[in-house]
Structures are given as structure tokens and as C-alpha cells.
Amino acid sequence: MKRIFILALLFSTVLYPASLKSGIYKAEYDYSKVSENTYIREKIVPCEELTTNNIMQRYKCSDLKVFKDGKKVFLRIRSYMDTGNFVHMNRGDYIAELKEGKNGLYYGKNDYIDFQLRKTGDDELELTVISRIKYSSTEFPMRGGAYVPEGNDRIVFKYKGKITENDENESVKSAQDFKDTAEELGINYGNYKKLENEIYYGDKKVEDADFDSFIVYKSSVYYSMVFSDYAKDKNNIFYAGKLWKVPDYNSFQFLGESYSRDKDNIYYSGKKIRGADLETFRIINWAYAKDKKYVYLKGEIVKGEDPAEFKL
């Protein structure tokens, strides 16, 4: 009987790995690694330490709550900047379901943010912000302006105490207020915007778009936050806000930046690249690509370049 119990315990441990420790975590930061210049210094601090009387300073505060089930988290990020000429505050309150990945990684994702959590100790978590979007009134708080290179925003959190029902209720309400504000102003995905059950490209409505299934492709080459002009819903593919019937819907793939493909062709900015080799075509950077025959610059063949030898 004892042997059966031990085997059952081992079996359950393999199938159901321990979830993250629930509780309240506060941001920790190694200030020695913060670059400083003549004008602005940036520090990450717990949110209750955020002040508004530090001239020429940039502060970020972050709190993390892992709810009791260990599968749902609340992340609060505040960014405060005082340049001496103006004061600006951004905020983000996110609730996300966690999915467990390999090597102790947990992934959280919703309409506004993608991030991963990694256990670095019994009472310590490291969060890496993968991407964030912005809504109309202000950018979500992030280092470096509108776009953050993937994996560039890392914050270490230390466990500070148990979570209570009030903690969870306050977090849910705060995240809902944040969501309501974003939906009221519209959510930007690059040149596209979702607003009041309509899709817009710039100030023009995207016709024939299905609101619920509409997605805008993000670049996978350099910046995960740069949204392309390519989009799709459950019925159609769109380019630059217009219905695009050229590619095959079922085999369509966004390759990154302005490049895409289907089972028959490679495209740049919605235009077919004639003669491109489907099997060997790959992107080099935001403008350049190559296959076994040619080097391409913004979809055009670069004459005189050997793709086997070509380097930037």
C-alpha cells in the first residue's frame, strides 16, 4: 500500500507540476545597471514608493499578484516621468491566465500584453515583457517609447506576503477599469484600430471585416510590437485596410515585416515577387531578403549580388 501511495504521488507530480506560489510580489531592481544621462534617470520601484516630486527622473513601478489557483496573475505597471517641463504618467493593469511551458516558464497573454514568468527561486520570479500594444490616448508604459524589442523589459519580483480576497477583488476591478478605458478610446494595432465593434485603417472603416476574429500580424524579425499592414479574419485576408483576394487564404503566412507568402508566391507589401523561390526564401532584415537565386530589397531584385555571399 505504501509503495502504491509513493508511486501515485510521483505520478501526480509528473502530470501536475507545482504551480507558482500565490501571493503579492514587489519589483526589485539592480540600480547599478541603470544607465544614466545628464537629463533623465530611470528606476523601477514598488508602486507605493512612486512620487511626483523628483525632477528630471523617470520611474517605473511594478507589482505582481499571483492568485490562489496559481494560474491567473495580475500585473500592475506604472511609468512616471518628470523632465522639469512636464509630468507624464502611464499605467497598465493586466489580468492574464498563465500557461505552463518548458523549463519552468509560464506564459501570460491577453489583448494588451504578452509576457513570460520564470521561477528563479522559491520567493522570486523574473518577468519578461514580450510585447505590449497601445491605445489612443497614451502609450502603455514601456522603456524606449512606443516599441520594445522582444525580451528587453525584464523585472525581478520578490515575494512579500499572502494574497487576500480583497487583493484579488481590487485587482480585478482595476484591470476592468483599464480595459474599459482602452475600449472606449479604441485599441490601436499599428495603422489598424478596433473601436465600437468596427475595424478602422487610419480613419477609414475596413469593409467586410469580422470584428471578433480580426487579427493584425506583428513582425517577427526585429520588434514584436511593430504591427504590419497585413491582417486577417475568419473569412478573408486584408492588406492596408482593404480586402486582399490575391493570396490563397488557407496557405497564407505572414513572414515578418512587409513579407508574406502562400503556397504559390512570395509577396512584399501586398505585391507578388515574381520568380522568388518558395523553398529557400528567407528574410534578412526589415528590407532585405534572399533565396538561392537572388537578393531582394523591398521586394525588388538587387542586380549583381550573389545570395550565397551577400552580407549586410
Side-chain angles (χ1 to χ4, degrees):
M1 181 62 70
K2 185 176 181 181
R3 182 179 298 175
I4 294 174
F5 174 76
I6 293 173
L7 287 174
L9 181 62
L10 178 60
F11 185 67
S12 66
T13 302
V14 173
L15 285 182
Y16 305 103
S19 60
L20 295 174
K21 182 177 180 180
S22 66
I24 300 173
Y25 294 77
K26 299 292 184 181
E28 301 280 340
Y29 203 70
D30 182 357
Y31 295 156
S32 66
K33 295 181 180 179
V34 178
S35 59
E36 297 188 9
N37 60 40
T38 307
Y39 302 104
I40 298 175
R41 292 187 300 160
E42 180 178 72
K43 290 185 178 181
I44 296 179
V45 298
C47 287
E48 63 268 18
E49 295 182 14
L50 196 64
T51 63
T52 57
N53 53 5
N54 293 280
I55 303 300
M56 310 294 276
Q57 300 277 340
R58 186 196 300 269
Y59 281 88
K60 291 176 70 174
C61 77
S62 299
D63 294 339
L64 178 69
K65 294 177 183 177
V66 180
F67 294 142
K68 292 179 181 177
D69 59 8
K71 296 179 181 178
K72 189 166 61 176
V73 300
F74 171 78
L75 173 65
R76 164 171 289 167
I77 299 179
R78 297 284 189 272
S79 178
Y80 166 80
M81 182 173 69
D82 187 339
T83 66
N85 297 316
F86 69 93
V87 175
H88 189 62
M89 171 74 85
N90 284 333
R91 71 184 185 92
D93 290 320
Y94 314 96
I95 283 184
E97 296 285 337
L98 290 179
K99 292 185 178 180
E100 187 168 9
K102 296 180 180 179
N103 302 320
L105 288 177
Y106 297 80
Y107 298 90
K109 181 177 182 178
N110 57 27
D111 289 340
Y112 313 105
I113 190 168
D114 297 357
F115 61 88
Q116 68 183 30
L117 281 172
R118 181 171 65 92
K119 294 177 70 174
T120 53
D122 291 339
D123 292 332
E124 184 178 282
L125 301 173
E126 182 185 70
L127 180 140
T128 301
V129 175
I130 297 173
S131 67
R132 275 174 270 187
I133 65 172
K134 61 180 181 176
Y135 58 87
S136 301
S137 68
T138 180
E139 295 169 4
F140 284 6
M142 58 185 65
R143 182 177 302 130
Y147 303 117
V148 177
E150 183 170 337
N152 194 47
D153 244 359
R154 286 188 172 89
I155 307 170
V156 174
F157 292 90
K158 298 279 190 178
Y159 177 81
K160 295 297 181 183
K162 293 181 180 180
I163 200 164
T164 67
E165 187 174 343
N166 287 338
D167 291 322
E168 185 163 355
N169 291 341
E170 180 271 336
S171 299
V172 171
K173 182 181 183 302
S174 185
Q176 184 61 50
D177 291 342
F178 178 76
K179 181 179 179 181
D180 290 344
T181 301
E183 289 180 351
E184 178 185 350
L185 296 171
I187 304 172
N188 291 346
Y189 301 84
N191 290 321
Y192 291 94
K193 177 189 283 190
K194 283 189 170 186
L195 176 63
E196 297 179 350
N197 294 318
E198 302 285 2
I199 307 293
Y200 293 87
Y201 182 85
D203 59 356
K204 295 182 178 180
K205 181 181 174 181
V206 179
E207 301 294 340
D208 301 314
D210 177 74
F211 183 86
D212 291 332
S213 63
F214 192 89
I215 63 168
V216 182
Y217 287 99
K218 293 186 293 185
S219 169
S220 57
V221 177
Y222 275 111
Y223 298 98
S224 61
M225 278 299 302
V226 174
F227 288 92
S228 73
D229 278 342
Y230 292 96
K232 72 181 292 187
D233 63 16
K234 64 181 182 179
N235 303 311
N236 298 299
I237 298 169
F238 301 84
Y239 182 77
K242 296 181 179 180
L243 188 64
W244 189 34
K245 294 184 176 181
V246 174
D248 173 69
Y249 180 88
N250 291 326
S251 63
F252 179 78
Q253 294 179 328
F254 174 64
L255 299 178
E257 302 301 335
S258 295
Y259 289 96
S260 63
R261 65 165 289 167
D262 62 12
K263 62 184 178 65
D264 298 316
N265 298 290
I266 305 290
Y267 305 90
Y268 180 83
S269 293
K271 296 181 180 180
K272 185 188 300 184
I273 302 177
R274 299 190 181 278
D277 182 71
L278 289 168
E279 298 299 321
T280 59
F281 189 89
R282 70 179 184 87
I283 299 173
I284 299 172
N285 68 7
W286 66 274
Y288 282 94
K290 69 178 183 178
D291 60 21
K292 67 180 182 180
K293 298 181 293 183
Y294 303 112
V295 175
Y296 304 89
L297 173 61
K298 296 183 178 180
E300 300 291 333
I301 295 173
V302 181
K303 295 180 180 180
E305 291 288 353
D306 180 358
E309 302 294 330
F310 180 78
K311 292 181 180 180
L312 290 177

mmCIF file with all atom_site columns, all heavy atoms in Angstrom, residues 26-38:
data_model
loop_
_atom_site.group_PDB
_atom_site.id
_atom_site.type_symbol
_atom_site.label_atom_id
_atom_site.label_alt_id
_atom_site.label_comp_id
_atom_site.label_asym_id
_atom_site.label_entity_id
_atom_site.label_seq_id
_atom_site.pdbx_PDB_ins_code
_atom_site.Cartn_x
_atom_site.Cartn_y
_atom_site.Cartn_z
_atom_site.occupancy
_atom_site.B_iso_or_equiv
_atom_site.pdbx_formal_charge
_atom_site.auth_seq_id
_atom_site.auth_comp_id
_atom_site.auth_asym_id
_atom_site.auth_atom_id
_atom_site.pdbx_PDB_model_num
ATOM 1   N N   . LYS A 1 26 ? 6.699  42.152 -5.148  1.00 0.00 ? 26 LYS A N   1
ATOM 2   C CA  . LYS A 1 26 ? 7.089  43.537 -5.400  1.00 0.00 ? 26 LYS A CA  1
ATOM 3   C C   . LYS A 1 26 ? 8.336  43.566 -6.277  1.00 0.00 ? 26 LYS A C   1
ATOM 4   O O   . LYS A 1 26 ? 9.219  42.719 -6.149  1.00 0.00 ? 26 LYS A O   1
ATOM 5   C CB  . LYS A 1 26 ? 7.377  44.278 -4.089  1.00 0.00 ? 26 LYS A CB  1
ATOM 6   C CG  . LYS A 1 26 ? 6.177  44.357 -3.150  1.00 0.00 ? 26 LYS A CG  1
ATOM 7   C CD  . LYS A 1 26 ? 5.080  45.240 -3.703  1.00 0.00 ? 26 LYS A CD  1
ATOM 8   C CE  . LYS A 1 26 ? 3.927  45.375 -2.711  1.00 0.00 ? 26 LYS A CE  1
ATOM 9   N NZ  . LYS A 1 26 ? 2.844  46.217 -3.241  1.00 0.00 ? 26 LYS A NZ  1
ATOM 10  N N   . ALA A 1 27 ? 8.410  44.579 -7.140  1.00 0.00 ? 27 ALA A N   1
ATOM 11  C CA  . ALA A 1 27 ? 9.528  44.687 -8.069  1.00 0.00 ? 27 ALA A CA  1
ATOM 12  C C   . ALA A 1 27 ? 10.832 44.989 -7.341  1.00 0.00 ? 27 ALA A C   1
ATOM 13  O O   . ALA A 1 27 ? 10.877 45.787 -6.415  1.00 0.00 ? 27 ALA A O   1
ATOM 14  C CB  . ALA A 1 27 ? 9.250  45.778 -9.091  1.00 0.00 ? 27 ALA A CB  1
ATOM 15  N N   . GLU A 1 28 ? 11.865 44.303 -7.757  1.00 0.00 ? 28 GLU A N   1
ATOM 16  C CA  . GLU A 1 28 ? 13.228 44.585 -7.287  1.00 0.00 ? 28 GLU A CA  1
ATOM 17  C C   . GLU A 1 28 ? 14.050 44.972 -8.507  1.00 0.00 ? 28 GLU A C   1
ATOM 18  O O   . GLU A 1 28 ? 13.823 44.510 -9.610  1.00 0.00 ? 28 GLU A O   1
ATOM 19  C CB  . GLU A 1 28 ? 13.842 43.342 -6.632  1.00 0.00 ? 28 GLU A CB  1
ATOM 20  C CG  . GLU A 1 28 ? 13.052 42.814 -5.455  1.00 0.00 ? 28 GLU A CG  1
ATOM 21  C CD  . GLU A 1 28 ? 13.328 43.602 -4.186  1.00 0.00 ? 28 GLU A CD  1
ATOM 22  O OE1 . GLU A 1 28 ? 14.374 44.275 -4.155  1.00 0.00 ? 28 GLU A OE1 1
ATOM 23  O OE2 . GLU A 1 28 ? 12.514 43.521 -3.253  1.00 0.00 ? 28 GLU A OE2 1
ATOM 24  N N   . TYR A 1 29 ? 15.041 45.821 -8.301  1.00 0.00 ? 29 TYR A N   1
ATOM 25  C CA  . TYR A 1 29 ? 15.840 46.239 -9.443  1.00 0.00 ? 29 TYR A CA  1
ATOM 26  C C   . TYR A 1 29 ? 17.260 46.552 -8.995  1.00 0.00 ? 29 TYR A C   1
ATOM 27  O O   . TYR A 1 29 ? 17.477 47.136 -7.936  1.00 0.00 ? 29 TYR A O   1
ATOM 28  C CB  . TYR A 1 29 ? 15.214 47.461 -10.114 1.00 0.00 ? 29 TYR A CB  1
ATOM 29  C CG  . TYR A 1 29 ? 15.619 47.630 -11.561 1.00 0.00 ? 29 TYR A CG  1
ATOM 30  C CD1 . TYR A 1 29 ? 15.151 46.741 -12.527 1.00 0.00 ? 29 TYR A CD1 1
ATOM 31  C CD2 . TYR A 1 29 ? 16.443 48.658 -11.973 1.00 0.00 ? 29 TYR A CD2 1
ATOM 32  C CE1 . TYR A 1 29 ? 15.500 46.877 -13.852 1.00 0.00 ? 29 TYR A CE1 1
ATOM 33  C CE2 . TYR A 1 29 ? 16.795 48.816 -13.298 1.00 0.00 ? 29 TYR A CE2 1
ATOM 34  C CZ  . TYR A 1 29 ? 16.313 47.912 -14.241 1.00 0.00 ? 29 TYR A CZ  1
ATOM 35  O OH  . TYR A 1 29 ? 16.671 48.062 -15.554 1.00 0.00 ? 29 TYR A OH  1
ATOM 36  N N   . ASP A 1 30 ? 18.208 46.158 -9.832  1.00 0.00 ? 30 ASP A N   1
ATOM 37  C CA  . ASP A 1 30 ? 19.607 46.458 -9.564  1.00 0.00 ? 30 ASP A CA  1
ATOM 38  C C   . ASP A 1 30 ? 19.927 47.830 -10.151 1.00 0.00 ? 30 ASP A C   1
ATOM 39  O O   . ASP A 1 30 ? 20.152 47.978 -11.342 1.00 0.00 ? 30 ASP A O   1
ATOM 40  C CB  . ASP A 1 30 ? 20.500 45.383 -10.185 1.00 0.00 ? 30 ASP A CB  1
ATOM 41  C CG  . ASP A 1 30 ? 21.971 45.615 -9.890  1.00 0.00 ? 30 ASP A CG  1
ATOM 42  O OD1 . ASP A 1 30 ? 22.303 46.632 -9.253  1.00 0.00 ? 30 ASP A OD1 1
ATOM 43  O OD2 . ASP A 1 30 ? 22.796 44.780 -10.297 1.00 0.00 ? 30 ASP A OD2 1
ATOM 44  N N   . TYR A 1 31 ? 19.913 48.861 -9.295  1.00 0.00 ? 31 TYR A N   1
ATOM 45  C CA  . TYR A 1 31 ? 20.097 50.221 -9.775  1.00 0.00 ? 31 TYR A CA  1
ATOM 46  C C   . TYR A 1 31 ? 21.469 50.444 -10.429 1.00 0.00 ? 31 TYR A C   1
ATOM 47  O O   . TYR A 1 31 ? 21.638 51.348 -11.229 1.00 0.00 ? 31 TYR A O   1
ATOM 48  C CB  . TYR A 1 31 ? 19.931 51.218 -8.628  1.00 0.00 ? 31 TYR A CB  1
ATOM 49  C CG  . TYR A 1 31 ? 18.540 51.255 -8.043  1.00 0.00 ? 31 TYR A CG  1
ATOM 50  C CD1 . TYR A 1 31 ? 18.312 51.684 -6.743  1.00 0.00 ? 31 TYR A CD1 1
ATOM 51  C CD2 . TYR A 1 31 ? 17.437 50.854 -8.790  1.00 0.00 ? 31 TYR A CD2 1
ATOM 52  C CE1 . TYR A 1 31 ? 17.034 51.719 -6.203  1.00 0.00 ? 31 TYR A CE1 1
ATOM 53  C CE2 . TYR A 1 31 ? 16.163 50.880 -8.266  1.00 0.00 ? 31 TYR A CE2 1
ATOM 54  C CZ  . TYR A 1 31 ? 15.963 51.322 -6.975  1.00 0.00 ? 31 TYR A CZ  1
ATOM 55  O OH  . TYR A 1 31 ? 14.704 51.346 -6.457  1.00 0.00 ? 31 TYR A OH  1
ATOM 56  N N   . SER A 1 32 ? 22.425 49.610 -10.089 1.00 0.00 ? 32 SER A N   1
ATOM 57  C CA  . SER A 1 32 ? 23.768 49.788 -10.641 1.00 0.00 ? 32 SER A CA  1
ATOM 58  C C   . SER A 1 32 ? 23.793 49.546 -12.149 1.00 0.00 ? 32 SER A C   1
ATOM 59  O O   . SER A 1 32 ? 24.691 49.997 -12.842 1.00 0.00 ? 32 SER A O   1
ATOM 60  C CB  . SER A 1 32 ? 24.756 48.848 -9.950  1.00 0.00 ? 32 SER A CB  1
ATOM 61  O OG  . SER A 1 32 ? 24.456 47.492 -10.251 1.00 0.00 ? 32 SER A OG  1
ATOM 62  N N   . LYS A 1 33 ? 22.778 48.825 -12.649 1.00 0.00 ? 33 LYS A N   1
ATOM 63  C CA  . LYS A 1 33 ? 22.744 48.518 -14.074 1.00 0.00 ? 33 LYS A CA  1
ATOM 64  C C   . LYS A 1 33 ? 21.932 49.526 -14.874 1.00 0.00 ? 33 LYS A C   1
ATOM 65  O O   . LYS A 1 33 ? 21.803 49.411 -16.078 1.00 0.00 ? 33 LYS A O   1
ATOM 66  C CB  . LYS A 1 33 ? 22.167 47.110 -14.283 1.00 0.00 ? 33 LYS A CB  1
ATOM 67  C CG  . LYS A 1 33 ? 23.033 46.004 -13.698 1.00 0.00 ? 33 LYS A CG  1
ATOM 68  C CD  . LYS A 1 33 ? 22.416 44.643 -13.964 1.00 0.00 ? 33 LYS A CD  1
ATOM 69  C CE  . LYS A 1 33 ? 23.295 43.535 -13.374 1.00 0.00 ? 33 LYS A CE  1
ATOM 70  N NZ  . LYS A 1 33 ? 22.703 42.197 -13.608 1.00 0.00 ? 33 LYS A NZ  1
ATOM 71  N N   . VAL A 1 34 ? 21.359 50.495 -14.182 1.00 0.00 ? 34 VAL A N   1
ATOM 72  C CA  . VAL A 1 34 ? 20.551 51.502 -14.865 1.00 0.00 ? 34 VAL A CA  1
ATOM 73  C C   . VAL A 1 34 ? 21.469 52.544 -15.496 1.00 0.00 ? 34 VAL A C   1
ATOM 74  O O   . VAL A 1 34 ? 22.277 53.159 -14.820 1.00 0.00 ? 34 VAL A O   1
ATOM 75  C CB  . VAL A 1 34 ? 19.588 52.193 -13.880 1.00 0.00 ? 34 VAL A CB  1
ATOM 76  C CG1 . VAL A 1 34 ? 18.787 53.275 -14.596 1.00 0.00 ? 34 VAL A CG1 1
ATOM 77  C CG2 . VAL A 1 34 ? 18.654 51.170 -13.256 1.00 0.00 ? 34 VAL A CG2 1
ATOM 78  N N   . SER A 1 35 ? 21.337 52.720 -16.800 1.00 0.00 ? 35 SER A N   1
ATOM 79  C CA  . SER A 1 35 ? 22.146 53.739 -17.464 1.00 0.00 ? 35 SER A CA  1
ATOM 80  C C   . SER A 1 35 ? 21.603 55.112 -17.115 1.00 0.00 ? 35 SER A C   1
ATOM 81  O O   . SER A 1 35 ? 20.398 55.326 -17.025 1.00 0.00 ? 35 SER A O   1
ATOM 82  C CB  . SER A 1 35 ? 22.102 53.532 -18.986 1.00 0.00 ? 35 SER A CB  1
ATOM 83  O OG  . SER A 1 35 ? 20.781 53.593 -19.451 1.00 0.00 ? 35 SER A OG  1
ATOM 84  N N   . GLU A 1 36 ? 22.503 56.068 -16.903 1.00 0.00 ? 36 GLU A N   1
ATOM 85  C CA  . GLU A 1 36 ? 22.091 57.419 -16.552 1.00 0.00 ? 36 GLU A CA  1
ATOM 86  C C   . GLU A 1 36 ? 22.647 58.395 -17.579 1.00 0.00 ? 36 GLU A C   1
ATOM 87  O O   . GLU A 1 36 ? 23.683 58.173 -18.181 1.00 0.00 ? 36 GLU A O   1
ATOM 88  C CB  . GLU A 1 36 ? 22.606 57.803 -15.157 1.00 0.00 ? 36 GLU A CB  1
ATOM 89  C CG  . GLU A 1 36 ? 22.041 56.936 -14.037 1.00 0.00 ? 36 GLU A CG  1
ATOM 90  C CD  . GLU A 1 36 ? 22.423 57.472 -12.664 1.00 0.00 ? 36 GLU A CD  1
ATOM 91  O OE1 . GLU A 1 36 ? 22.971 58.584 -12.629 1.00 0.00 ? 36 GLU A OE1 1
ATOM 92  O OE2 . GLU A 1 36 ? 22.167 56.782 -11.677 1.00 0.00 ? 36 GLU A OE2 1
ATOM 93  N N   . ASN A 1 37 ? 21.906 59.457 -17.804 1.00 0.00 ? 37 ASN A N   1
ATOM 94  C CA  . ASN A 1 37 ? 22.449 60.531 -18.633 1.00 0.00 ? 37 ASN A CA  1
ATOM 95  C C   . ASN A 1 37 ? 22.232 61.861 -17.919 1.00 0.00 ? 37 ASN A C   1
ATOM 96  O O   . ASN A 1 37 ? 21.794 61.900 -16.771 1.00 0.00 ? 37 ASN A O   1
ATOM 97  C CB  . ASN A 1 37 ? 21.820 60.527 -20.035 1.00 0.00 ? 37 ASN A CB  1
ATOM 98  C CG  . ASN A 1 37 ? 20.310 60.721 -19.971 1.00 0.00 ? 37 ASN A CG  1
ATOM 99  O OD1 . ASN A 1 37 ? 19.807 61.517 -19.182 1.00 0.00 ? 37 ASN A OD1 1
ATOM 100 N ND2 . ASN A 1 37 ? 19.596 59.985 -20.816 1.00 0.00 ? 37 ASN A ND2 1
ATOM 101 N N   . THR A 1 38 ? 22.557 62.935 -18.582 1.00 0.00 ? 38 THR A N   1
ATOM 102 C CA  . THR A 1 38 ? 22.506 64.245 -17.941 1.00 0.00 ? 38 THR A CA  1
ATOM 103 C C   . THR A 1 38 ? 21.088 64.635 -17.535 1.00 0.00 ? 38 THR A C   1
ATOM 104 O O   . THR A 1 38 ? 20.888 65.356 -16.563 1.00 0.00 ? 38 THR A O   1
ATOM 105 C CB  . THR A 1 38 ? 23.060 65.319 -18.905 1.00 0.00 ? 38 THR A CB  1
ATOM 106 O OG1 . THR A 1 38 ? 24.346 64.903 -19.349 1.00 0.00 ? 38 THR A OG1 1
ATOM 107 C CG2 . THR A 1 38 ? 23.178 66.664 -18.217 1.00 0.00 ? 38 THR A CG2 1
#
